[in-house]
Amino acid sequence: MILILIVLSVLGFALLNVFAKKTWQTALSLVLGAVFVISLVALMANLTYHFGMEKEVTSKTTELVSSGDSDRFDLLLYQPLGDGTEKVYLYKTDADQDEPKQTGTDKVTNVVETGADEAQLTADTTRWVYQSDVYRFLFGIADNEGEYVERTNTFSVPDSWAVLSVDQAKKLASLAEEQADTMKTEGQAYVQEKMQAALMADPTMDESEQQAKIAEYTAAYQAEAMQKLVEEAKK
């Protein structure tokens, strides 16, 4: 619509200036000239500064599964870019997914938060939209509604997850394979020692209670061993 106003105001201004013989015709030509200038300025302001528009943020939350292929580790992977200050995160939203998806690099900010109850990705995308139907009617021909501004990806993962680079994840898998036998032996010894202490503290513990304690101590050892492997993989 704004282009139509510009064209009509130019034509009207030109015609009235050529054929104007009366005062009202001259006045009308000045009004049309003002309409032309205002319309042109408004169009340029829309194209350059998004006049008549506002930023709208849409949010989408998706559950995550481990980015790695191992059943022993829950991982969120990233690939460093350049000097390492920028990272592309690799993530999976489905256990049957062959290859992980990756975050973009065009005006994208990635944030990782730990301590979550479950792993999930919240993507907040900002786009330009028109403030009202009037602005949309005037400037819709510019086809800039929904223009991308920026995106913030917030990865929320439990403390049991490790956030590693692709190279660190490969090192972790290698370390886990090398130390598998040692970890098994140490794990059995750890659980046995803990169970002996628990039985001394409560000799009346029944079978189900003992099994629950074994599961608890096994999980505790695995978490501790995992943390040590992760720290070594990061070196």
Side-chain angles (χ1 to χ4, degrees):
M1 183 60 187
I2 196 73
L3 290 180
I4 295 176
L5 282 177
I6 292 174
V7 172
L8 291 178
S9 61
V10 168
L11 291 175
F13 178 80
L15 290 172
L16 286 172
N17 270 281
V18 171
F19 300 106
K21 295 180 179 179
K22 299 181 179 180
T23 303
W24 71 266
Q25 292 176 322
T26 302
L28 182 57
S29 70
L30 293 176
V31 171
L32 290 174
V35 170
F36 166 74
V37 172
I38 293 172
S39 298
L40 186 60
V41 170
L43 178 60
M44 295 305 298
N46 173 260
L47 294 174
T48 306
Y49 303 108
H50 297 93
F51 170 71
M53 308 183 80
E54 61 186 2
K55 292 179 180 179
E56 180 182 73
V57 180
T58 57
S59 183
K60 180 181 179 180
T61 299
T62 309
E63 293 184 3
L64 298 176
V65 298
S66 176
S67 303
D69 296 326
S70 175
D71 294 332
R72 291 179 291 179
F73 311 113
D74 287 323
L75 305 175
L76 174 61
L77 301 178
Y78 65 85
Q79 182 65 56
L81 300 179
D83 60 1
T85 55
E86 187 177 3
K87 301 173 182 177
V88 171
Y89 283 82
L90 310 175
Y91 63 96
K92 289 185 179 182
T93 57
D94 191 323
D96 296 327
Q97 191 176 321
D98 293 330
E99 296 294 331
K101 302 176 184 178
Q102 64 180 39
T103 56
T105 57
D106 181 21
K107 299 178 183 178
V108 174
T109 300
N110 296 308
V111 179
V112 178
E113 298 178 348
T114 58
D117 293 331
E118 58 183 0
Q120 59 184 23
L121 164 63
T122 300
D124 295 319
T125 305
T126 304
R127 297 183 183 276
W128 286 108
V129 297
Y130 282 105
Q131 295 176 358
S132 68
D133 290 337
V134 173
Y135 285 118
R136 186 176 293 106
F137 175 71
L138 287 173
F139 304 110
I141 194 171
D143 195 29
N144 55 359
E145 185 165 30
E147 182 180 333
Y148 173 80
V149 179
E150 62 183 359
R151 175 172 293 151
T152 299
N153 296 313
T154 302
F155 293 92
S156 302
V157 296
D159 290 330
S160 58
W161 281 50
V163 182
L164 301 175
S165 71
V166 173
D167 290 340
Q168 289 171 343
K170 292 178 180 177
K171 184 178 179 181
L172 176 62
S174 178
L175 288 170
E177 185 176 353
E178 291 173 2
Q179 300 182 26
D181 292 339
T182 301
M183 290 174 60
K184 181 178 180 179
T185 302
E186 290 181 350
Q188 290 173 343
Y190 177 91
V191 172
Q192 184 177 2
E193 181 181 349
K194 289 291 186 179
M195 281 304 300
Q196 288 176 347
L199 287 170
M200 288 182 63
D202 184 9
T204 63
M205 193 181 302
D206 61 27
E207 182 66 22
S208 62
E209 291 174 327
Q210 291 183 36
Q211 291 301 320
K213 285 290 184 181
I214 290 174
E216 176 187 342
Y217 297 143
T218 300
Y221 171 78
Q222 290 175 344
E224 183 179 333
M226 168 68 174
Q227 185 59 38
K228 289 180 180 179
L229 287 177
V230 169
E231 291 174 357
E232 190 172 349
K234 289 182 176 180
K235 293 180 181 178

